[in-house]
Amino acid sequence: MTRCFLFLLLTVRLATAEDGANAWLRYAPLPQANNNHSIPLSIVALGNSKSSPVYTAGQELQKGIKGIFGKKLSTNGTKDTSSSIVVGTIDAYKKAYGDFDEADELEEDGFFLSTEGRDVLILGQNQRGALYGTFAYLSRLAQNKLSPISYVSNPHAPIRWVNEWDNLDGSIERGYAGPSIFFRDGFVVDNVTRVAEYARLLASIRVNGIVINNVNANATLLNARNIEGLGRLADAMRPFGVQLGISLRFDSPQTFGGLNSYDPLDLKVDAWWANITNQIYKRVPDMAGYLVKANSEGQPGPLTYNRTLADGANMFAKAVKAHGGIVMFRAFVYDNHINPGNWTADRANAAVDFFQHLDGKFDDNVVVQIKYGPIDFQVREPPSPLFSTLRKTSTAIELQVTQEYLGQQSHLVYLAPLWKEIFEYDLRVDDRPSKVKDIISSARFNRPLGGSAAVVNVGTNMTWLGNHLAMSNLYAYGMMAWDPAVLPEDVLQDWIRLTFGFDRQVMNVITEMSMKSWPAYENYSGNLGIQTLTDILYTHFGPNPASQDNNGWGQWTRADSTSIGMDRTVKNGTGNAGQYPPAIAKTYENIESTPDNLLLWFHHVPYTQLLKSGKTVIQHFYDAHYEGAATAQSFVMLWQSLKGKIDSERYEHINFRQMYQAGHALVWRDAINEFYHNLSGIPDQAKRVRNHPYRIEAEKMALSGYKAYAVSPFHTASGYTAIVTTSNSTIGTATANITYASGTYDLAVNYYDLIGGRANYEVSINNRTIGTWTGDLEDQLGHAPSIYLDGHSATRITFKGVKVNTGDILKIVGRPDGIEPAPIDYVSFLPPGIVD
Ligand code: GCU
């Protein structure tokens, strides 16, 4: 009985331990051999207030060492005669133990960590630094890195924030992990436990600020109940040294405050903001500041009153100045009604056009927050030219951990290599080294502030981001914001050890998958700098290249039947290349010097244009899509090689997503290839596009209760057509004679899984059931992309090793549910080694 109970307890512990809630802070026991490592016997935390980061550090040490070594250390506040872990600020340390000069180079938030002497010393320039040092020490222990070290670590830049696009109703814009941890039904949540847990995670990667609400802000955040709520959130985050920030809506004085204006130069408006700011600071004395999106995508702003964006930013800057706050003012300002008929119009020019003349006009506590590229988090963009333009203005880079255009956490895309390219990009301002990473810190233009902000959008899902593997992006963001010099692969491998342990194969497989993932995604989405090619008018998930053009959003590809790409040259195009410093401008002005991967970003060329690789543009598209989709298939095999080496909860969760990604990568491949084949009329030299000998198109099967349905966009269905049941209550049957040679096949069914219904399917051969399934990806993936048959809802299920004889009857029965008419696109009989 007791043994049974113990076993139960253990399994429950294991199960709950691996739900992802602790992310990389699992503090799993070390492999046996190193359990004997001698660790100090006591913890001395030089700070006792329960809300202080040093107190948290003491608690965290206790928890970490208990987990890793199974030992409980004494915390009676005094050093042990043999050895102790001493954690605190450098000042507190000197006060308690006298002079100490080894940590003289400490800068704000920095830490000194030494495990070389008798005691382990973790000393921060401030309390936050002491906590960062603590996490750094625990991370070493948890990774079995036990050799003695002694070093000082300082942040690359002071601002290392995350932005959450949470709405007050609890939804999250571009969030893929369930509802908000911050808001519900119009108000700040009552239970802030999860917020504190998030702050803990962020502190461990040295993030020091969270802007908790959507940049498309809602003024009711400023009501009395919510201000009180902000106080509770800040209280929950304070012990972790994470400061609260909020997004503001520019017209709040009018829409919420009852004034007749929101003109930033109107004294009444100024006074209104000063007053509301004072009220917030009364409850949150250490609030980090404000984030403002103005005059962009329909948001109000100072331009309405013919004031400059600097006038707008400075109005907030003055309000927070006395409180030590800062204003992050977004450079994502553009007109979303530009005329596609105008060859020289270009959204990519907007940031420089709007901000260049304002350089030097922003108050010192304003930071202009610039998305990494000129458009919008695309799979490949050059850095925004604005980084090189603003020399007298503090700037920060905006990145996305949430994979808005990059697979929405249903595809594995490790983003650190993309960020690394941007950070290391040398913009050659005044012909001097001017890496983006040095522009956003004080190094290049000597500005007082600067740094980075990442849109993260965690949700209530226990995994935080909806996918265990997506957490490498959050981890890497924090570590790279602290030190952009780190290598993406090194950061990844630390994360793997912390998240999955020490097995070599686990390390190799996850490293391989992750490092191949961005190139693979680029290959099967948008190549050569043409942008992601996702649907920009609906959810930004599946393929829809046509959606880019002929509208005012300016994410144009200018693809026609003979040519493709944005001409951003000065000589003949939008002039965007000329927004970069001369050395860079020259590179992009000429096709010959433009790298292949940005060719279509800067040039409009025929599909037959030869690349440096020797291929034509169109053949590169075809090949890249086949290559990228093939890589996504290989992720499934790679992942499945880890069965038994990872707890089943996380193994199954990721396995499901890798299979999904493999199927959706094929949807991407075929949709994009079909679209450009159709447009250009140029065949694939390898004869793969439009040639699918293993497929049986559903519309060509004998149908009863099913009818053919022309899918839109057309290229998101094989043969442009799928089948749907004739009504929402009719059961559909589709049958076909199998003409393939007798043998063993993988049987794949491509179908559409819509939000708003959970249709059921059964596939059989000669009335022998091969498989049944439900169209419930919205539950399984936690991601609900579309209410239509399109490139978002298109998906695949595969049944392996199915024995078939020539002449057998294939039958699919579809039972509609809700708005989901059991849609099917095609069935593939795949001989061994073939995926199509
Ligand atoms: C993108 C995104 C929006 C977001 C906007 C922004 O356009 O799709 O959801 O509001 O960027 O960054 O402001």
Side-chain angles (χ1 to χ4, degrees):
M1 176 76 184
T2 327
R3 277 181 62 177
C4 201
F5 179 63
L6 245 178
F7 174 73
L8 227 146
L9 243 182
L10 264 176
T11 32
V12 169
R13 245 201 92 198
L14 272 180
T16 49
E18 303 299 356
D19 62 4
N22 281 319
W24 50 83
L25 297 178
R26 293 159 59 244
Y27 302 136
L30 276 189
Q32 225 84 64
N34 270 315
N35 247 346
N36 298 328
H37 174 74
S38 78
I39 43 155
L41 298 176
S42 74
I43 299 165
V44 182
L46 303 169
N48 280 322
S49 136
K50 285 209 170 164
S51 64
S52 77
V54 168
Y55 179 84
T56 309
Q59 302 286 301
E60 197 70 32
L61 284 166
Q62 185 69 275
K63 183 176 186 171
I65 287 169
K66 181 96 204 317
I68 300 166
F69 296 105
K71 291 185 182 155
K72 191 166 184 316
L73 305 195
S74 114
T75 49
N76 62 10
T78 51
K79 283 215 226 176
D80 189 88
T81 45
S82 60
S83 75
S84 300
I85 304 171
V86 184
V87 59
T89 64
I90 183 77
D91 288 347
Y93 185 82
K94 285 181 182 168
K95 207 158 144 205
Y97 304 110
D99 268 0
F100 186 80
D101 56 17
E102 282 174 63
D104 280 355
E105 315 116 69
L106 279 183
E107 293 164 15
E108 190 171 352
D109 287 358
F111 63 86
F112 168 75
L113 169 62
S114 172
T115 61
E116 281 178 347
R118 194 191 66 163
D119 295 327
V120 169
L121 298 184
I122 308 174
L123 307 178
Q125 185 272 348
N126 53 19
Q127 293 231 1
R128 199 188 272 145
L131 181 58
Y132 295 166
T134 299
F135 280 116
Y137 173 59
L138 287 169
S139 168
R140 287 185 63 81
L141 296 182
Q143 289 185 66
N144 211 356
K145 295 179 178 172
L146 304 176
S147 53
I149 35 106
S150 180
Y151 68 97
V152 165
S153 183
N154 286 316
H156 180 75
I159 297 169
R160 304 176 305 279
W161 289 15
V162 295
N163 294 176
E164 309 294 327
W165 287 355
D166 294 36
N167 298 313
L168 267 61
D169 65 4
S171 63
I172 304 178
E173 185 157 336
R174 316 300 177 190
Y176 313 106
S180 173
I181 62 169
F182 300 101
F183 302 104
R184 217 184 135 173
D185 299 335
F187 298 103
V188 171
V189 292
D190 295 328
N191 183 343
V192 295
T193 312
R194 194 105 165 125
V195 173
E197 284 167 4
Y198 186 41
R200 171 174 173 251
L201 277 188
L202 293 181
S204 74
I205 51 170
R206 308 168 199 176
V207 166
N208 57 6
I210 314 182
V211 176
I212 54 160
N213 64 310
N214 194 352
V215 285
N216 299 318
N218 185 327
T220 60
L221 178 69
L222 304 174
N223 68 31
R225 177 167 161 193
N226 276 331
I227 290 180
E228 168 54 28
L230 293 180
R232 283 184 293 106
L233 293 176
D235 293 346
M237 287 152 52
R238 192 167 296 111
F240 301 94
V242 181
Q243 286 172 271
L244 174 109
I246 57 172
S247 294
L248 296 178
R249 192 175 156 94
F250 205 90
D251 62 4
S252 305
Q254 189 177 71
T255 57
F256 176 71
L259 303 188
N260 58 5
S261 154
Y262 55 92
D263 177 356
L265 297 192
D266 180 334
L267 292 179
K268 284 193 308 295
V269 172
D270 243 14
W272 189 86
W273 280 117
N275 175 42
I276 205 91
T277 302
N278 292 341
Q279 285 177 42
I280 303 172
Y281 272 95
K282 201 158 163 218
R283 185 60 183 87
V284 188
D286 55 355
M287 185 173 70
Y290 292 147
L291 172 63
V292 181
K293 170 177 178 179
N295 290 116
S296 169
E297 302 183 328
Q299 292 292 322
L303 302 181
T304 313
Y305 293 91
N306 283 327
R307 309 303 185 195
T308 70
L309 294 167
D311 292 332
N314 294 342
M315 168 180 73
F316 298 112
K318 287 190 182 64
V320 293
K321 176 92 178 171
H323 304 282
I326 64 175
V327 173
M328 305 291 282
F329 196 81
R330 294 180 88 224
F332 189 63
V333 178
Y334 71 100
D335 175 5
N336 58 340
H337 300 286
I338 48 174
N339 175 9
N342 177 357
W343 187 254
T344 59
D346 191 356
R347 169 170 158 187
N349 286 344
V352 170
D353 286 351
F354 276 108
F355 282 86
Q356 186 170 33
H357 65 285
L358 299 175
D359 194 19
K361 303 223 163 75
F362 292 96
D363 287 0
D364 256 9
N365 58 334
V366 174
V367 179
V368 173
Q369 180 169 316
I370 308 169
K371 288 191 182 183
Y372 65 78
I375 296 283
D376 197 10
F377 303 127
Q378 299 300 294
V379 71
R380 172 136 349 232
E381 299 189 42
S384 169
L386 191 60
F387 290 115
S388 59
T389 316
L390 297 180
R391 302 164 183 213
K392 297 184 223 133
T393 306
S394 296
T395 56
I397 191 169
E398 184 175 309
L399 306 171
Q400 262 191 345
V401 165
T402 194
Q403 297 169 229
E404 176 185 350
Y405 289 93
L406 303 173
Q408 305 189 350
Q409 278 101 285
S410 295
H411 291 229
L412 167 66
V413 185
Y414 178 52
L415 291 164
L418 184 166
W419 302 334
K420 181 76 177 169
E421 282 201 22
I422 301 284
F423 277 133
E424 298 295 341
Y425 192 105
D426 186 352
L427 282 160
R428 304 299 306 167
V429 180
D430 296 335
D431 260 330
R432 286 177 44 200
S434 309
K435 291 193 171 180
V436 171
K437 68 178 181 189
D438 297 324
I439 291 172
I440 56 162
S441 71
S442 58
R444 181 62 179 86
F445 297 134
N446 198 20
R447 298 299 310 157
L449 292 166
S452 48
V455 184
V456 179
N457 296 352
V458 294
T460 48
N461 186 288
M462 288 316 272
T463 62
W464 296 100
L465 286 171
N467 181 342
H468 292 290
L469 287 187
M471 290 296 275
S472 58
N473 286 326
L474 180 55
Y475 183 83
Y477 165 67
M479 293 324 243
M480 289 175 87
W482 181 267
D483 179 9
V486 293
L487 299 178
E489 187 161 332
D490 292 349
V491 180
L492 174 74
Q493 297 201 328
D494 286 351
W495 173 81
I496 294 170
R497 273 185 291 271
L498 294 168
T499 307
F500 293 106
F502 297 95
D503 187 283
R504 274 252 56 89
Q505 197 187 341
V506 170
M507 172 62 75
N508 293 342
V509 163
I510 301 179
T511 302
E512 183 179 345
M513 290 168 64
S514 304
M515 294 308 290
K516 283 182 172 171
S517 61
W518 173 44
Y521 191 82
E522 181 178 28
N523 275 340
Y524 65 73
S525 61
N527 323 122
L528 305 174
I530 196 62
Q531 304 170 95
T532 308
L533 298 181
T534 184
D535 189 336
I536 68 153
L537 302 176
Y538 186 27
T539 178
H540 298 168
F541 183 59
N544 188 356
S547 70
Q548 319 279 132
D549 289 289
N550 302 316
N551 57 52
W553 290 97
Q555 292 188 219
W556 305 324
T557 70
R558 297 216 184 275
D560 59 24
S561 61
T562 57
S563 50
I564 183 168
M566 277 294 285
D567 185 341
R568 293 194 157 110
T569 61
V570 176
K571 57 178 176 293
N572 188 48
T574 72
N576 178 262
Q579 288 191 341
Y580 291 87
I584 308 296
K586 200 167 148 220
T587 307
Y588 293 141
E589 184 69 17
N590 300 306
I591 290 190
E592 298 72 42
S593 48
T594 304
D596 282 352
N597 62 19
L598 284 174
L599 180 72
L600 303 179
W601 186 276
F602 284 107
H603 299 280
H604 185 80
V605 298
Y607 291 109
T608 50
Q609 173 78 30
L610 274 188
L611 299 171
K612 294 180 181 57
S613 67
K615 287 182 187 177
T616 61
V617 163
I618 191 75
Q619 194 57 42
H620 178 96
F621 270 33
Y622 297 149
D623 291 351
H625 280 82
Y626 272 88
E627 205 183 297
T631 307
Q633 312 307 310
S634 75
F635 291 169
V636 177
M637 265 95 75
L638 281 166
W639 183 257
Q640 291 179 349
S641 74
L642 301 183
K643 195 169 171 83
K645 289 177 173 285
I646 287 182
D647 56 285
S648 58
E649 194 172 354
R650 289 186 298 175
Y651 174 83
E652 293 301 343
H653 169 106
I654 294 166
N655 191 42
F656 187 82
R657 280 155 183 76
Q658 292 314 141
M659 289 197 292
Y660 173 80
Q661 179 178 7
H664 202 227
L666 294 174
V667 171
W668 266 99
R669 180 195 79 182
D670 292 347
I672 301 293
N673 282 347
E674 178 55 47
F675 180 82
Y676 289 105
H677 185 287
N678 184 61
L679 193 59
S680 70
I682 301 175
D684 166 26
Q685 282 165 6
K687 299 192 169 55
R688 297 155 300 188
V689 179
R690 260 194 209 170
N691 178 18
H692 303 288
Y694 310 104
R695 289 186 189 175
I696 299 174
E697 293 294 339
E699 65 275 16
K700 300 217 168 109
M701 294 170 77
L703 305 179
S704 148
Y706 261 126
K707 62 179 181 193
Y709 180 88
V711 173
S712 171
F714 67 89
H715 43 88
T716 58
S718 187
Y720 308 172
T721 311
I723 58 169
V724 294
T725 52
T726 50
S727 84
N728 283 2
S729 53
T730 311
I731 297 175
T733 307
T735 48
N737 235 322
I738 298 171
T739 54
Y740 298 111
S742 302
T744 303
Y745 295 83
D746 287 348
L747 194 160
V749 182
N750 272 53
Y751 66 106
Y752 299 84
D753 194 331
L754 279 49
I755 318 168
R758 290 170 180 81
N760 269 294
Y761 301 84
E762 178 177 1
V763 58
S764 61
I765 288 177
N766 282 354
N767 287 328
R768 176 171 49 94
T769 302
I770 302 299
T772 57
W773 74 98
T774 304
D776 61 354
L777 279 179
E778 58 270 50
D779 310 324
Q780 302 288 329
L781 279 180
H783 176 239
S786 175
I787 54 169
Y788 308 107
L789 279 71
D790 55 22
H792 317 297
S793 60
T795 185
R796 161 174 285 206
I797 187 162
T798 306
F799 303 96
K800 296 237 167 226
V802 178
K803 287 203 169 49
V804 172
N805 288 315
T806 315
D808 282 355
I809 303 291
L810 164 73
K811 181 160 93 182
I812 302 187
V813 178
R815 289 182 179 78
D817 178 63
I819 67 154
E820 195 168 71
I824 302 167
D825 186 3
Y826 64 91
V827 181
S828 269
F829 281 86
L830 302 167
I834 290 186
V835 182
D836 190 35

